[in-house]
Amino acid sequence: MNQASTKKIFQTLLGCKILAVREIPRGFNSVVYKIIDEENKTYIAKKYIRYPNDSFDRLEIEYGALDFLWKNGIRSVP
């Protein structure tokens, strides 16, 4: 995905003009973006990668782990 189409997607999702989108160096499971809007607000977006022939749902696993932590009293989670 190129910079212009990535910017357009985030403008649509956030409902505001996006000035900059920067891909943060990633690991194996996801792509993370730093997004800055016209009011200089900063956002972080995460795109989970799905590899061919891989049924591993990375978003579901991460959400489940965070939900488990929250339900067990650990509140310093996103």
Side-chain angles (χ1 to χ4, degrees):
M1 189 175 339
N2 67 34
Q3 179 82 2
S5 62
T6 303
K7 232 186 217 188
K8 187 174 181 177
I9 289 169
F10 289 128
Q11 284 184 163
T12 300
L13 290 170
L14 295 170
C16 59
K17 184 176 180 181
I18 301 301
L19 299 180
V21 175
R22 182 173 63 91
E23 189 175 317
I24 297 171
R26 64 177 176 93
F28 181 75
N29 291 320
S30 63
V31 179
V32 178
Y33 298 95
K34 179 180 181 181
I35 305 154
I36 300 173
D37 74 6
E38 62 190 337
E39 295 178 3
N40 210 32
K41 291 180 185 172
T42 301
Y43 304 87
I44 296 293
K46 191 172 190 179
K47 175 184 168 187
Y48 292 88
I49 297 170
R50 179 72 56 112
Y51 295 98
N53 302 317
D54 179 8
S55 62
F56 194 68
D57 188 336
R58 288 160 178 80
L59 173 58
E60 184 178 321
I61 298 297
E62 185 165 331
Y63 181 82
L66 295 172
D67 187 50
F68 171 82
L69 292 169
W70 186 265
K71 286 178 179 174
N72 286 280
I74 300 171
R75 299 290 191 247
S76 59
V77 296

